Amino acid sequence: MRAGSLWEYGWPMATSKQMQFLANEATALAAREGLSAIPRWLPAKLFYDEVGSALFEQITELPEYYLTRTERAIFESYAGEILQAAGPSLTLVELGAGTASKTCILIEELLQRQSRGLFYPIDVSPSALQAAVMQLGRQFPQLRVNPIIADYTGGVEALNRISGRKLVLYIGSSIGNFEPDESVRVLRRIRRTLRMGDALLLGADFAKSPKILLPAYDDPRGVTAAFNKNILARLNRELDADFDLDAFRHVALWNKRCSRMEMYLESECPQQAFVPALDMDVEFGAGERIHTENSYKYTMGMIETILRESGFKLEQSWRDRQKWFGVHLARV
Ligand code: AVJ
């Protein structure tokens, strides 16, 4: 990794003590509102610290979690068509890149069409970005990788500063964590950073039978349960809280009316936790739940609607044979 490149868009690097403090402040801010609300909730972005990002990587390799391998298969079948449709001389940008493990398929195709490439992976997790930089650097010597540590807000901000014709990747059904109205706002903000000729590639999971969906969010090995519980483990680590992880149960439900998977942590008994950094006592009755995630599952109509409402024109879609997952190319 090029020294300093991780910090290209940031402030001068803080000491690790200061970094810890900054991280904890952000975590405290993110947790405060939902822990004081009834019903209780926590924002899904809190999943992705170093432990959570690693657990998510494990989820993507589970046989039950069809999303990642299905989207990868779509890229493997259609990378040529996708890049052809996106246009010549592209700079790739990926929002919520994580370790960018599927993106290498598109990069490989890109580098067959142009001798050099530029890739900006954007993610909140420095450890995931570091893995991406290492892997891609090894695999593609003609590729320049400029990682950006940022959440969606900061990431969209960074899009404005990238010159050249952009293909913005917003894949992996990350959009699914947003409420429909929020997702329109997010897409609209992305659209405003695009210039003529730029494009968005949106990967989104399709609505399907709960027989397929439920095991994808509640695997028998308990990796998803561990991923879900890590949100409380993180509050214990960063905010010095004392949540008893064994006293919460992972719950995944299909909400057909809202077309979304929902994840909860359900208190198995009456209990209380103290969060020193928030100076807050949190009480739970037996069976009381903390809502930790929504993952929206789309119909083609929903995709058309959110893209239209955010000012995009849907140009082309690719899907797998079973219609489990879709990848959509859109322009301003
Ligand atoms: C990364 C938001 C796409 O919703 O499927 C995986 C996160 N949650 N298992 C998803 C997740 C439970 C994932 N996204």
Side-chain angles (χ1 to χ4, degrees):
M1 183 173 48
R2 263 177 303 287
S5 65
L6 276 173
W7 309 101
E8 193 162 316
Y9 286 84
W11 288 276
M13 192 168 159
T15 65
S16 62
K17 196 94 200 141
Q18 283 170 313
M19 289 292 292
Q20 186 65 20
F21 176 72
L22 286 173
N24 294 354
E25 273 306 294
T27 306
L29 202 67
R32 177 179 272 118
E33 191 187 344
L35 283 182
S36 31
I38 304 275
R40 304 199 192 281
W41 60 277
L42 285 167
K45 68 173 180 190
L46 281 180
F47 285 134
Y48 302 95
D49 66 350
E50 190 164 348
V51 177
S53 295
L55 283 166
F56 179 68
E57 272 323 293
Q58 282 187 43
I59 288 176
T60 66
E61 284 157 22
L62 293 170
E64 295 82 13
Y65 194 77
Y66 61 87
L67 288 83
T68 311
R69 70 180 144 81
T70 308
E71 190 177 40
R72 181 179 291 120
I74 297 170
F75 288 164
E76 270 158 4
S77 305
Y78 302 111
E81 277 188 32
I82 292 169
L83 287 174
Q84 182 67 37
S89 328
L90 292 170
T91 293
L92 291 186
V93 190
E94 182 172 356
L95 285 167
T99 61
S101 71
K102 285 162 289 177
T103 317
C104 57
I105 303 161
L106 297 177
I107 291 171
E108 176 140 37
E109 184 66 37
L110 182 82
L111 292 173
Q112 311 232 325
R113 291 157 186 270
Q114 54 196 68
S115 54
R116 287 161 178 287
L118 188 52
F119 177 44
Y120 293 87
I122 305 176
D123 203 272
V124 285
S125 167
S127 53
L129 281 177
Q130 191 149 345
V133 171
M134 304 272 268
Q135 174 56 33
L136 293 170
R138 234 191 328 258
Q139 202 176 347
F140 304 111
Q142 330 86 292
L143 185 74
R144 200 188 133 105
V145 184
N146 289 337
I148 301 174
I149 301 170
D151 61 9
Y152 283 116
T153 317
V156 172
E157 212 62 39
L159 288 180
N160 277 315
R161 296 195 290 268
I162 296 170
S163 56
R165 186 198 284 268
K166 296 192 287 285
L167 174 60
V168 176
L169 308 175
Y170 195 15
I171 59 179
S173 210
S174 308
I175 188 76
N177 279 169
F178 292 107
E179 298 304 302
D181 60 329
E182 278 180 313
S183 71
V184 167
R185 281 198 291 276
V186 169
L187 291 172
R188 194 176 288 149
R189 291 187 46 230
I190 295 173
R191 196 212 66 212
R192 290 205 194 99
T193 71
L194 302 187
R195 292 175 279 264
M196 203 154 71
D198 293 356
L200 167 74
L201 192 69
L202 181 70
D205 198 18
F206 284 128
K208 61 183 64 62
S209 163
K211 287 202 186 75
I212 311 292
L213 287 166
L214 289 168
Y217 289 82
D218 192 4
D219 62 281
R221 274 176 257 190
V223 183
T224 309
F227 173 74
N228 197 7
K229 286 187 180 191
N230 177 57
I231 210 165
L232 295 182
R234 181 176 184 180
L235 301 188
N236 287 353
R237 285 190 293 269
E238 292 187 28
L239 307 182
D240 206 23
D242 62 357
F243 289 98
D244 177 2
L245 302 192
D246 295 329
F248 287 89
R249 187 170 78 86
H250 167 70
V251 175
L253 302 174
W254 168 238
N255 183 332
K256 187 173 197 292
R257 190 174 54 83
C258 298
S259 198
R260 69 190 192 201
M261 283 300 299
E262 298 173 350
M263 292 206 318
Y264 298 88
L265 290 165
E266 183 177 295
S267 175
E268 302 201 277
C269 55
Q271 57 176 322
Q272 199 172 22
F274 180 53
V275 190
L278 298 174
D279 191 25
M280 188 190 281
D281 273 310
V282 195
E283 274 183 60
F284 298 93
E288 188 175 350
R289 290 171 178 169
I290 311 172
H291 190 178
T292 51
E293 188 180 48
N294 289 325
S295 294
Y296 278 87
K297 306 298 168 191
Y298 303 86
T299 60
M300 211 43 225
M302 289 163 73
I303 295 290
E304 282 160 9
T305 304
I306 59 169
L307 284 172
R308 178 170 19 82
E309 286 183 357
S310 55
F312 276 104
K313 276 203 305 282
L314 175 60
E315 214 170 78
Q316 203 174 339
S317 297
W318 296 268
R319 68 204 83 186
D320 59 295
R321 250 211 214 93
Q322 302 182 94
K323 294 194 187 166
W324 280 1
F325 201 94
V327 170
H328 313 277
L329 188 78
R331 282 184 205 280
V332 289

